[in-house]
Amino acid sequence: MNPGPFTPAAPPRPTWLGAGAVLVMFALATAAGLAMAPRWESFPVVLVYLPPVLAAAAFAGRWLALLAAVAATLAYNFFFTEPYYTLLVHDTGDIVTVAMLLLVALVTSHLVTSLKAQGEIAAFHAGRNATIAGFARRLLSCADEVAIAEVAAGELARIFDCHACVVC
């Protein structure tokens, strides 16, 4: 049976393709960060990890975005805080930077996925309102009770994807 006009779309599931795309974005962000770090230190590099997190939230769903936020934090810590190539942090400033990266990545990924969900809900409601307006317009054009019953039966058949008839 086909979903009717009042059936909301299923939420997106994380896929291997989405996870692969996020992984490639992190590799590019790390390469850009490694190119930037000798000139500008590691502090501006932290911002390079936010676009992959936002892209994961927008295109791959909430769980992959949360995973991306944690991965961004770990990658920044591993490549750009002393001692390098470990997950240890010696500088208090780096601890704050890593914690803020995680917090900002988690909050922005949540906001992006919520915004996307709200857009889908708004589109769903717009479709439902258009269906109701079309039904009302067809009812207003009816001249008698039989025509009203036929329009109602036709609309019910379309909504429930079934056969309907009017018995008078």
Side-chain angles (χ1 to χ4, degrees):
M1 210 190 231
N2 295 332
F6 299 115
T7 304
R13 291 185 186 171
T15 62
W16 289 109
L17 182 62
V22 170
L23 192 62
V24 167
M25 286 187 280
F26 273 112
L28 292 173
T30 302
L34 289 171
M36 290 170 49
R39 286 189 185 164
W40 297 330
E41 302 284 324
S42 64
F43 293 113
V45 174
V46 78
L47 298 175
V48 174
Y49 282 104
L50 290 178
V53 173
L54 296 176
F59 300 113
R62 185 177 311 268
W63 292 109
L64 202 52
L66 294 175
L67 181 64
V70 172
T73 304
L74 293 175
Y76 176 77
N77 185 15
F78 188 79
F79 288 106
F80 301 105
T81 61
E82 291 183 8
Y84 298 111
Y85 309 114
T86 68
L87 294 178
L88 300 175
V89 180
H90 286 201
D91 187 13
T92 308
D94 285 339
I95 293 173
V96 171
T97 302
V98 168
M100 289 309 294
L101 172 61
L102 180 61
L103 180 66
V104 168
L106 290 173
V107 168
T108 55
S109 67
H110 173 72
L111 291 174
V112 168
T113 54
S114 295
L115 183 64
K116 187 176 177 184
Q118 289 298 320
E120 291 170 357
I121 290 170
F124 168 72
H125 287 296
R128 183 177 61 186
N129 290 343
T131 300
I132 292 169
F135 179 57
R137 187 176 54 255
R138 286 190 301 277
L139 283 177
L140 288 173
S141 68
C142 294
D144 59 1
E145 293 172 356
V146 173
I148 291 172
E150 288 175 355
V151 168
E155 190 66 22
L156 289 172
R158 189 182 68 75
I159 289 173
F160 293 111
D161 192 26
C162 65
H163 298 286
C165 64
V166 176
V167 179
C168 297

Coordinates of all heavy atoms in Angstrom, one line a residue, residues 48-143:
V48 N 38.4 24.6 11.4 CA 38.4 23.7 10.2 C 37.6 22.5 10.4 O 37.0 21.9 9.4 CB 39.8 23.4 9.7 CG1 39.9 22.5 8.6 CG2 40.6 24.7 9.4
Y49 N 37.5 22.0 11.6 CA 36.7 20.8 11.9 C 35.2 21.0 12.0 O 34.5 20.0 12.1 CB 37.3 20.1 13.2 CG 38.6 19.4 12.9 CD1 39.8 19.9 13.3 CD2 38.6 18.2 12.2 CE1 41.0 19.3 13.1 CE2 39.8 17.5 12.0 CZ 41.0 18.1 12.4 OH 42.1 17.4 12.1
L50 N 34.8 22.2 12.1 CA 33.3 22.4 12.2 C 32.5 22.1 11.0 O 31.4 21.5 11.0 CB 33.0 23.8 12.8 CG 33.4 24.0 14.2 CD1 33.1 25.4 14.7 CD2 32.7 23.0 15.1
P51 N 33.0 22.5 9.8 CA 32.2 22.2 8.5 C 31.9 20.8 8.3 O 30.8 20.4 7.9 CB 33.0 22.8 7.4 CG 33.8 24.0 8.1 CD 34.1 23.5 9.5
P52 N 32.9 19.8 8.5 CA 32.5 18.4 8.4 C 31.4 18.0 9.4 O 30.6 17.1 9.0 CB 33.8 17.7 8.6 CG 34.9 18.6 8.3 CD 34.3 20.0 8.7
V53 N 31.5 18.5 10.6 CA 30.4 18.2 11.6 C 29.1 18.7 11.1 O 28.1 18.0 11.1 CB 30.8 18.7 13.0 CG1 29.6 18.5 13.9 CG2 32.0 18.1 13.5
L54 N 29.0 19.9 10.6 CA 27.8 20.5 10.1 C 27.3 19.7 8.9 O 26.1 19.5 8.7 CB 27.9 22.0 9.8 CG 28.3 22.9 11.0 CD1 28.5 24.3 10.5 CD2 27.2 22.8 12.0
A55 N 28.2 19.4 8.0 CA 27.8 18.6 6.8 C 27.2 17.2 7.2 O 26.2 16.7 6.6 CB 28.9 18.4 5.8
A56 N 27.8 16.6 8.2 CA 27.3 15.3 8.7 C 25.9 15.5 9.2 O 25.1 14.6 9.0 CB 28.3 14.7 9.7
A57 N 25.7 16.5 10.0 CA 24.4 16.8 10.5 C 23.4 17.0 9.5 O 22.2 16.6 9.5 CB 24.5 18.0 11.5
A58 N 23.7 17.8 8.4 CA 22.8 18.2 7.4 C 22.4 17.0 6.5 O 21.3 16.9 6.0 CB 23.3 19.3 6.6
F59 N 23.4 16.2 6.2 CA 23.2 15.2 5.1 C 23.2 13.7 5.6 O 22.7 12.9 4.9 CB 24.3 15.3 4.0 CG 24.3 16.6 3.4 CD1 25.3 17.5 3.6 CD2 23.2 17.1 2.6 CE1 25.3 18.8 3.0 CE2 23.2 18.3 2.1 CZ 24.2 19.2 2.2
A60 N 23.7 13.4 6.8 CA 23.8 12.1 7.2 C 23.0 11.7 8.5 O 22.9 10.6 8.8 CB 25.3 11.7 7.5
G61 N 22.5 12.7 9.1 CA 21.6 12.4 10.3 C 22.3 12.7 11.6 O 23.5 13.0 11.7
R62 N 21.5 12.6 12.6 CA 21.9 13.0 14.0 C 23.0 12.1 14.6 O 24.0 12.6 15.1 CB 20.7 13.0 14.9 CG 21.0 13.4 16.3 CD 19.8 13.5 17.2 NE 18.6 14.1 16.6 CZ 18.3 15.4 16.8 NH1 19.1 16.2 17.5 NH2 17.3 15.9 16.2
W63 N 22.9 10.8 14.4 CA 23.9 9.9 15.0 C 25.3 10.0 14.4 O 26.3 10.0 15.1 CB 23.4 8.5 15.0 CG 22.3 8.3 15.9 CD1 21.0 8.1 15.5 CD2 22.3 8.4 17.3 NE1 20.2 8.0 16.6 CE2 20.9 8.2 17.8 CE3 23.2 8.6 18.3 CZ2 20.6 8.3 19.1 CZ3 22.9 8.7 19.6 CH2 21.6 8.5 20.0
L64 N 25.3 10.2 13.1 CA 26.6 10.3 12.4 C 27.2 11.7 12.7 O 28.4 11.9 12.8 CB 26.4 10.2 10.9 CG 27.7 9.8 10.1 CD1 28.4 8.6 10.7 CD2 27.4 9.5 8.7
A65 N 26.3 12.7 12.9 CA 26.8 14.0 13.3 C 27.4 14.0 14.7 O 28.4 14.6 15.0 CB 25.7 15.0 13.3
L66 N 26.8 13.3 15.7 CA 27.3 13.1 17.0 C 28.7 12.4 16.9 O 29.6 12.8 17.6 CB 26.4 12.4 17.9 CG 25.1 13.2 18.2 CD1 24.1 12.3 19.1 CD2 25.4 14.5 18.9
L67 N 28.7 11.4 16.1 CA 30.0 10.7 16.0 C 31.1 11.6 15.3 O 32.2 11.6 15.7 CB 29.8 9.4 15.1 CG 31.0 8.5 14.8 CD1 31.5 7.9 16.1 CD2 30.6 7.5 13.8
A68 N 30.6 12.4 14.4 CA 31.6 13.4 13.8 C 32.1 14.4 14.8 O 33.2 14.8 14.7 CB 30.9 14.0 12.6
A69 N 31.2 14.8 15.7 CA 31.6 15.8 16.7 C 32.7 15.2 17.6 O 33.7 15.9 17.9 CB 30.4 16.2 17.5
V70 N 32.5 14.0 18.0 CA 33.5 13.3 18.8 C 34.8 13.1 18.0 O 35.9 13.3 18.5 CB 33.0 12.0 19.4 CG1 34.1 11.2 20.1 CG2 31.8 12.3 20.4
A71 N 34.7 12.7 16.7 CA 35.8 12.4 15.9 C 36.6 13.7 15.7 O 37.9 13.7 15.6 CB 35.4 11.8 14.6
A72 N 35.9 14.8 15.5 CA 36.6 16.1 15.3 C 37.4 16.5 16.5 O 38.6 16.9 16.4 CB 35.6 17.2 15.0
T73 N 36.8 16.3 17.7 CA 37.6 16.6 18.9 C 38.8 15.7 19.1 O 39.9 16.2 19.4 CB 36.6 16.3 20.1 OG1 35.5 17.1 19.9 CG2 37.3 16.7 21.4
L74 N 38.7 14.4 18.8 CA 39.8 13.5 18.9 C 40.9 13.8 17.8 O 42.1 13.8 18.1 CB 39.3 12.0 18.8 CG 38.5 11.5 19.9 CD1 38.0 10.1 19.6 CD2 39.2 11.6 21.2
A75 N 40.5 14.1 16.6 CA 41.4 14.4 15.6 C 42.2 15.7 15.9 O 43.4 15.8 15.7 CB 40.7 14.6 14.2
Y76 N 41.5 16.7 16.4 CA 42.2 18.0 16.7 C 43.2 17.7 17.9 O 44.3 18.1 17.8 CB 41.2 19.0 17.2 CG 41.8 20.3 17.7 CD1 42.4 21.2 16.8 CD2 41.9 20.6 19.0 CE1 43.0 22.3 17.2 CE2 42.6 21.7 19.5 CZ 43.1 22.6 18.6 OH 43.8 23.7 19.0
N77 N 42.7 17.0 18.9 CA 43.6 16.6 20.0 C 44.8 15.8 19.5 O 46.0 16.1 19.9 CB 42.8 15.9 21.0 CG 43.7 15.6 22.3 OD1 44.7 16.2 22.5 ND2 43.2 14.7 23.1
F78 N 44.6 14.9 18.6 CA 45.7 14.0 18.2 C 46.7 14.7 17.3 O 47.9 14.6 17.5 CB 45.1 12.8 17.4 CG 46.1 11.8 17.0 CD1 46.5 10.8 18.0 CD2 46.6 11.7 15.8 CE1 47.4 9.8 17.6 CE2 47.6 10.7 15.4 CZ 47.9 9.8 16.4
F79 N 46.3 15.6 16.4 CA 47.2 16.2 15.5 C 47.7 17.6 15.9 O 48.8 18.0 15.4 CB 46.5 16.3 14.1 CG 46.3 15.0 13.4 CD1 45.1 14.5 13.3 CD2 47.4 14.4 12.8 CE1 44.9 13.3 12.6 CE2 47.3 13.2 12.1 CZ 46.0 12.6 12.0
F80 N 47.0 18.3 16.7 CA 47.3 19.7 16.9 C 47.5 20.2 18.3 O 47.7 21.3 18.6 CB 46.2 20.6 16.3 CG 46.0 20.3 14.8 CD1 45.0 19.6 14.3 CD2 47.0 20.8 13.9 CE1 44.8 19.3 13.0 CE2 46.9 20.5 12.6 CZ 45.8 19.8 12.1
T81 N 47.5 19.3 19.3 CA 47.9 19.6 20.7 C 49.1 18.9 21.1 O 49.3 17.7 20.7 CB 46.7 19.3 21.7 OG1 46.4 18.0 21.7 CG2 45.5 20.1 21.3
E82 N 49.9 19.5 21.9 CA 51.1 18.9 22.5 C 50.8 18.0 23.6 O 49.9 18.3 24.4 CB 52.1 19.9 22.9 CG 52.7 20.7 21.8 CD 53.8 21.7 22.2 OE1 54.1 21.7 23.4 OE2 54.2 22.5 21.4
P83 N 51.4 16.8 23.7 CA 52.3 16.2 22.8 C 51.6 15.7 21.6 O 50.5 15.1 21.7 CB 52.9 15.0 23.7 CG 51.8 14.7 24.7 CD 51.1 16.0 24.9
Y84 N 52.2 15.9 20.4 CA 51.5 15.6 19.2 C 51.4 14.1 19.0 O 52.2 13.3 19.5 CB 52.3 16.2 18.0 CG 52.4 17.7 18.0 CD1 53.5 18.4 18.3 CD2 51.2 18.4 17.8 CE1 53.5 19.7 18.4 CE2 51.2 19.8 17.9 CZ 52.4 20.5 18.2 OH 52.4 21.8 18.2
Y85 N 50.4 13.6 18.2 CA 50.2 12.2 17.9 C 49.9 11.3 19.1 O 50.2 10.2 19.1 CB 51.3 11.7 17.0 CG 51.6 12.6 15.9 CD1 52.9 13.2 15.8 CD2 50.7 12.8 14.9 CE1 53.1 14.1 14.7 CE2 50.9 13.7 13.8 CZ 52.2 14.3 13.7 OH 52.4 15.1 12.7
T86 N 49.3 12.0 20.1 CA 48.8 11.2 21.3 C 47.4 11.9 21.6 O 47.1 13.0 21.1 CB 49.7 11.3 22.5 OG1 49.7 12.6 23.0 CG2 51.1 10.8 22.2
L87 N 46.7 11.3 22.5 CA 45.5 11.9 23.0 C 45.6 12.5 24.3 O 44.7 12.9 25.0 CB 44.3 10.8 23.0 CG 43.9 10.3 21.7 CD1 42.9 9.2 21.8 CD2 43.4 11.3 20.7
L88 N 46.9 12.7 24.7 CA 47.2 13.4 26.0 C 47.2 14.9 25.7 O 47.5 15.4 24.6 CB 48.6 13.0 26.5 CG 48.7 11.5 26.8 CD1 50.2 11.2 27.2 CD2 47.8 11.1 27.9
V89 N 46.8 15.7 26.7 CA 46.9 17.2 26.6 C 47.6 17.7 27.8 O 47.3 17.4 29.0 CB 45.4 17.8 26.6 CG1 45.5 19.2 26.5 CG2 44.6 17.2 25.4
H90 N 48.7 18.5 27.6 CA 49.5 19.0 28.7 C 49.1 20.5 29.0 O 49.3 20.9 30.2 CB 51.0 18.9 28.3 CG 51.5 17.6 28.4 ND1 52.8 17.3 28.5 CD2 50.9 16.3 28.4 CE1 53.0 15.9 28.6 NE2 51.8 15.4 28.5
D91 N 48.7 21.2 28.0 CA 48.4 22.6 28.3 C 46.9 22.8 28.7 O 46.0 22.3 28.0 CB 48.7 23.4 27.0 CG 48.6 24.9 27.2 OD1 48.5 25.4 28.3 OD2 48.6 25.6 26.1
T92 N 46.7 23.7 29.7 CA 45.4 23.9 30.2 C 44.5 24.6 29.1 O 43.3 24.3 28.9 CB 45.4 24.8 31.4 OG1 46.3 24.2 32.4 CG2 44.0 25.0 32.0
G93 N 45.2 25.5 28.3 CA 44.5 26.2 27.2 C 44.0 25.2 26.2 O 42.9 25.3 25.6
D94 N 44.8 24.1 25.9 CA 44.4 23.1 24.9 C 43.2 22.3 25.5 O 42.3 21.9 24.7 CB 45.5 22.2 24.6 CG 46.5 22.9 23.7 OD1 46.2 23.8 23.0 OD2 47.7 22.4 23.6
I95 N 43.2 22.1 26.8 CA 42.1 21.3 27.4 C 40.8 22.1 27.1 O 39.7 21.5 26.7 CB 42.3 21.1 28.9 CG1 43.5 20.1 29.0 CG2 41.0 20.5 29.5 CD1 43.9 19.9 30.5
V96 N 40.8 23.4 27.4 CA 39.6 24.3 27.2 C 39.2 24.3 25.7 O 38.1 24.2 25.4 CB 39.9 25.7 27.7 CG1 38.8 26.6 27.3 CG2 40.1 25.7 29.2
T97 N 40.2 24.4 24.8 CA 39.9 24.4 23.4 C 39.3 23.1 22.9 O 38.3 23.1 22.2 CB 41.2 24.6 22.6 OG1 41.8 25.9 23.0 CG2 41.0 24.7 21.1
V98 N 39.8 22.0 23.4 CA 39.3 20.7 23.0 C 37.8 20.5 23.6 O 36.9 20.1 22.8 CB 40.2 19.5 23.5 CG1 39.5 18.2 23.4 CG2 41.5 19.5 22.7
A99 N 37.6 20.9 24.8 CA 36.3 20.8 25.4 C 35.3 21.7 24.7 O 34.2 21.3 24.4 CB 36.4 21.2 26.9
M100 N 35.7 22.9 24.3 CA 34.8 23.9 23.6 C 34.5 23.4 22.2 O 33.4 23.5 21.7 CB 35.4 25.3 23.6 CG 35.4 26.0 24.9 SD 33.8 26.0 25.7 CE 32.9 27.0 24.7
L101 N 35.5 22.8 21.5 CA 35.3 22.2 20.2 C 34.2 21.1 20.3 O 33.3 21.1 19.5 CB 36.6 21.6 19.6 CG 36.4 20.8 18.3 CD1 35.8 21.6 17.2 CD2 37.7 20.1 17.9
L102 N 34.3 20.3 21.3 CA 33.3 19.2 21.5 C 32.0 19.8 21.7 O 31.0 19.4 21.1 CB 33.7 18.3 22.6 CG 32.8 17.1 22.9 CD1 32.6 16.2 21.6 CD2 33.2 16.3 24.1
L103 N 31.9 20.8 22.6 CA 30.6 21.4 23.0 C 30.0 22.1 21.7 O 28.8 21.9 21.4 CB 30.8 22.4 24.1 CG 29.5 23.1 24.6 CD1 28.6 22.1 25.2 CD2 29.9 24.2 25.5
V104 N 30.8 22.9 21.0 CA 30.3 23.6 19.9 C 29.9 22.6 18.8 O 28.8 22.8 18.2 CB 31.3 24.6 19.4 CG1 30.9 25.2 18.0 CG2 31.5 25.8 20.3
A105 N 30.6 21.6 18.6 CA 30.3 20.6 17.5 C 29.0 19.9 17.9 O 28.2 19.7 17.0 CB 31.4 19.6 17.4
L106 N 28.8 19.5 19.1 CA 27.6 18.8 19.6 C 26.4 19.7 19.4 O 25.4 19.3 18.9 CB 27.7 18.3 21.0 CG 28.7 17.2 21.2 CD1 28.9 16.9 22.7 CD2 28.2 15.9 20.5
V107 N 26.5 21.0 19.9 CA 25.4 21.9 19.8 C 25.0 22.2 18.4 O 23.8 22.2 18.0 CB 25.7 23.2 20.7 CG1 24.7 24.3 20.4 CG2 25.7 22.9 22.1
T108 N 26.0 22.6 17.6 CA 25.7 22.9 16.2 C 25.1 21.7 15.4 O 24.2 21.9 14.6 CB 26.9 23.5 15.5 OG1 28.0 22.6 15.5 CG2 27.3 24.9 16.0
S109 N 25.6 20.5 15.7 CA 25.1 19.4 14.9 C 23.6 19.1 15.4 O 22.8 18.8 14.5 CB 25.9 18.1 15.2 OG 25.9 17.7 16.5
H110 N 23.4 19.3 16.7 CA 22.0 19.2 17.1 C 21.1 20.3 16.5 O 20.0 20.0 16.1 CB 21.9 19.3 18.7 CG 20.5 19.4 19.2 ND1 19.7 18.2 19.2 CD2 19.8 20.4 19.7 CE1 18.5 18.6 19.7 NE2 18.6 19.9 20.0
L111 N 21.6 21.5 16.4 CA 20.8 22.6 15.8 C 20.5 22.3 14.3 O 19.4 22.5 13.8 CB 21.5 23.9 16.0 CG 21.5 24.4 17.4 CD1 22.3 25.7 17.5 CD2 20.1 24.7 18.0
V112 N 21.5 21.8 13.6 CA 21.3 21.6 12.2 C 20.3 20.4 12.0 O 19.4 20.5 11.1 CB 22.7 21.3 11.5 CG1 22.5 20.7 10.1 CG2 23.5 22.5 11.4
T113 N 20.4 19.4 12.7 CA 19.5 18.3 12.5 C 18.1 18.7 13.0 O 17.1 18.2 12.3 CB 19.9 17.0 13.3 OG1 20.2 17.3 14.7 CG2 21.2 16.4 12.7
S114 N 18.0 19.5 14.0 CA 16.6 20.0 14.4 C 16.0 20.9 13.4 O 14.8 20.8 13.1 CB 16.7 20.7 15.8 OG 17.1 19.8 16.8
L115 N 16.9 21.7 12.8 CA 16.4 22.6 11.7 C 15.9 21.8 10.5 O 14.9 22.1 9.9 CB 17.5 23.6 11.4 CG 17.1 24.7 10.3 CD1 16.1 25.6 10.9 CD2 18.4 25.5 10.0
K116 N 16.7 20.8 10.2 CA 16.3 20.0 9.0 C 14.9 19.3 9.3 O 14.1 19.2 8.5 CB 17.4 19.0 8.8 CG 17.1 18.2 7.5 CD 18.3 17.3 7.2 CE 18.0 16.4 6.0 NZ 19.0 15.4 5.7
A117 N 14.8 18.8 10.6 CA 13.6 18.1 10.9 C 12.4 19.1 10.9 O 11.3 18.7 10.4 CB 13.7 17.4 12.3
Q118 N 12.6 20.3 11.4 CA 11.5 21.3 11.4 C 11.1 21.6 9.9 O 10.0 21.9 9.6 CB 12.0 22.5 12.1 CG 12.0 22.4 13.6 CD 10.7 22.0 14.2 OE1 9.7 22.5 13.9 NE2 10.7 21.1 15.2
G119 N 12.1 21.7 9.0 CA 11.8 21.9 7.6 C 11.0 20.8 7.0 O 10.0 21.1 6.3
E120 N 11.3 19.6 7.4 CA 10.5 18.4 6.9 C 9.1 18.5 7.4 O 8.1 18.2 6.7 CB 11.2 17.1 7.2 CG 12.5 16.9 6.4 CD 13.3 15.8 6.9 OE1 12.9 15.1 7.9 OE2 14.4 15.5 6.3
I121 N 8.9 18.8 8.7 CA 7.6 18.9 9.3 C 6.8 20.0 8.6 O 5.6 19.9 8.4 CB 7.7 19.2 10.8 CG1 8.2 17.9 11.5 CG2 6.4 19.6 11.4 CD1 8.6 18.1 13.0
A122 N 7.5 21.2 8.4 CA 6.8 22.3 7.7 C 6.3 21.9 6.3 O 5.2 22.2 5.9 CB 7.7 23.5 7.6
A123 N 7.2 21.2 5.6 CA 6.8 20.7 4.2 C 5.6 19.7 4.3 O 4.7 19.7 3.5 CB 8.0 20.0 3.6
F124 N 5.6 18.8 5.3 CA 4.5 17.9 5.6 C 3.2 18.6 5.8 O 2.2 18.3 5.3 CB 4.9 17.0 6.7 CG 3.7 16.1 7.2 CD1 3.3 15.1 6.5 CD2 3.2 16.4 8.5 CE1 2.2 14.3 7.0 CE2 2.1 15.7 8.9 CZ 1.6 14.6 8.2
H125 N 3.3 19.7 6.7 CA 2.1 20.4 7.0 C 1.6 21.2 5.8 O 0.4 21.4 5.6 CB 2.3 21.3 8.2 CG 2.4 20.6 9.5 ND1 1.3 19.9 10.1 CD2 3.4 20.5 10.4 CE1 1.7 19.4 11.2 NE2 3.0 19.7 11.4
A126 N 2.5 21.7 5.0 CA 2.1 22.5 3.8 C 1.4 21.6 2.9 O 0.4 21.9 2.3 CB 3.3 23.1 3.2
G127 N 1.9 20.3 2.7 CA 1.2 19.4 1.8 C -0.2 19.0 2.4 O -1.1 18.9 1.6
R128 N -0.3 18.8 3.7 CA -1.6 18.5 4.3 C -2.5 19.7 4.1 O -3.7 19.5 3.8 CB -1.4 18.2 5.7 CG -2.7 17.8 6.4 CD -2.5 17.4 7.8 NE -2.0 18.5 8.6 CZ -1.7 18.4 9.8 NH1 -1.7 17.3 10.5 NH2 -1.2 19.5 10.5
N129 N -2.1 20.9 4.3 CA -2.9 22.1 4.1 C -3.4 22.2 2.7 O -4.5 22.6 2.4 CB -2.2 23.3 4.6 CG -2.0 23.4 6.1 OD1 -2.7 22.6 6.8 ND2 -1.1 24.2 6.6
A130 N -2.5 21.9 1.7 CA -2.9 22.0 0.3 C -4.0 20.9 0.0 O -4.9 21.2 -0.7 CB -1.7 21.8 -0.6
T131 N -3.8 19.8 0.6 CA -4.8 18.7 0.4 C -6.2 19.2 1.0 O -7.2 19.0 0.3 CB -4.4 17.4 1.1 OG1 -3.2 17.0 0.5 CG2 -5.4 16.3 1.0
I132 N -6.2 19.7 2.2 CA -7.4 20.2 2.8 C -8.0 21.3 2.0 O -9.3 21.4 1.8 CB -7.2 20.6 4.2 CG1 -6.8 19.4 5.1 CG2 -8.4 21.3 4.8 CD1 -6.3 19.7 6.5
A133 N -7.2 22.3 1.5 CA -7.7 23.4 0.7 C -8.3 22.9 -0.6 O -9.4 23.4 -1.0 CB -6.6 24.4 0.4
G134 N -7.7 21.9 -1.3 CA -8.2 21.4 -2.5 C -9.5 20.6 -2.3 O -10.5 20.8 -3.0
F135 N -9.6 19.9 -1.1 CA -10.8 19.2 -0.8 C -12.0 20.2 -0.5 O -13.1 20.1 -1.0 CB -10.6 18.3 0.4 CG -11.8 17.6 0.9 CD1 -12.5 16.7 0.1 CD2 -12.2 17.7 2.2 CE1 -13.6 16.0 0.5 CE2 -13.3 17.0 2.7 CZ -14.0 16.2 1.8
A136 N -11.7 21.3 0.2 CA -12.7 22.3 0.5 C -13.1 23.0 -0.8 O -14.3 23.3 -1.0 CB -12.1 23.3 1.5
R137 N -12.2 23.2 -1.7 CA -12.5 23.9 -3.0 C -13.5 23.0 -3.8 O -14.5 23.4 -4.4 CB -11.3 24.2 -3.8 CG -11.5 25.0 -5.0 CD -10.2 25.4 -5.7 NE -9.3 24.3 -6.0 CZ -8.2 24.0 -5.4 NH1 -7.8 24.7 -4.4 NH2 -7.5 22.9 -5.7
R138 N -13.2 21.7 -3.8 CA -14.1 20.7 -4.5 C -15.4 20.6 -3.9 O -16.5 20.5 -4.5 CB -13.4 19.4 -4.6 CG -12.3 19.3 -5.7 CD -11.8 17.9 -6.0 NE -11.3 17.2 -4.8 CZ -10.0 17.4 -4.3 NH1 -9.2 18.2 -4.8 NH2 -9.6 16.7 -3.2
L139 N -15.5 20.7 -2.5 CA -16.8 20.6 -1.8 C -17.6 21.9 -2.1 O -18.8 21.8 -2.3 CB -16.5 20.5 -0.3 CG -16.2 19.1 0.2 CD1 -15.9 19.2 1.7 CD2 -17.3 18.1 -0.1
L140 N -16.9 23.0 -2.2 CA -17.7 24.3 -2.5 C -18.2 24.3 -3.9 O -19.2 25.0 -4.1 CB -16.7 25.5 -2.2 CG -16.4 25.8 -0.8 CD1 -15.4 26.9 -0.7 CD2 -17.7 26.2 0.0
S141 N -17.7 23.6 -4.8 CA -18.2 23.6 -6.1 C -19.4 22.6 -6.3 O -20.0 22.6 -7.4 CB -17.1 23.2 -7.1 OG -16.7 21.9 -6.9
C142 N -19.7 21.8 -5.3 CA -20.8 20.9 -5.4 C -22.1 21.6 -5.3 O -22.3 22.5 -4.5 CB -20.7 19.8 -4.2 SG -19.2 18.8 -4.4
A143 N -23.1 21.1 -6.1 CA -24.4 21.7 -6.1 C -25.4 20.9 -5.3 O -26.4 21.5 -4.9 CB -24.9 21.7 -7.6

